[in-house]
Amino acid sequence: MANRVTLQVHEIIKKVSNQRSKADKIKILKENESFALKTLLQGTYNPNIVLDLPEGAPPYTPSAPQSFPSNFFKQSKKLSYFVPPKSTQMSTLKKERLFIQILESIHPEDAELVLQMKDKTPFKGITSAVVKEAFPSILP
């Protein structure tokens, strides 16, 4: 069996966006299923999940695309701090500082996707119907 290359989340989203058929989009999502990908899609397309953060991009310095200290697969677990009840246990300043740390530690294109997710901006070529069919449990 060939070794599967793990794509970064932004690479998966780009690959799905470039597909023409719904079936191909769903297939790629399923083949690349991860906690990080599902978290990103759920945060973007599930209307019941709203991050407790101000709208728009915070002032942050994107990491260099060739050398980012962490990755979204590791950092995605921290997004729970921005959704109630956890978000109510932290000061606004501390929450915003943590969010900026996440953005600065991941690939800059993944950081852009996280900002899109926070503001509920759908990804080009990916509908909630595609997401719901690929991962039925993450959308209402």
Side-chain angles (χ1 to χ4, degrees), residues 18-114:
N18 291 333
Q19 299 305 309
R20 291 198 184 275
S21 81
K22 185 178 179 182
D24 289 341
K25 292 173 192 260
I26 292 164
K27 182 176 184 267
I28 292 167
L29 287 173
K30 285 181 173 181
E31 286 172 351
N32 293 282
E33 181 177 352
S34 68
F35 178 81
L37 178 63
K38 288 166 75 172
T39 299
L40 183 75
L41 294 171
Q42 185 176 36
T44 305
Y45 294 95
N46 187 330
N48 302 326
I49 296 176
V50 178
L51 299 188
D52 188 12
L53 291 163
E55 216 170 286
Y60 78 102
T61 306
S63 61
Q66 65 279 5
S67 64
F68 38 98
S70 187
N71 63 53
F72 188 59
F73 294 104
K74 290 179 186 162
Q75 297 296 318
S76 61
K77 292 169 182 68
K78 294 180 182 175
L79 292 176
S80 66
Y81 289 112
F82 308 109
V83 181
K86 280 188 181 179
S87 68
T88 59
Q89 299 165 3
M90 200 185 300
S91 73
T92 302
L93 184 63
K94 193 171 182 178
K95 253 188 300 212
E96 290 176 18
R97 195 175 295 140
L98 176 61
F99 189 65
I100 289 170
Q101 287 170 353
I102 292 170
L103 294 175
E104 290 180 343
S105 72
I106 61 179
H107 190 285
E109 289 184 52
D110 283 344
E112 286 296 318
L113 294 178
V114 171

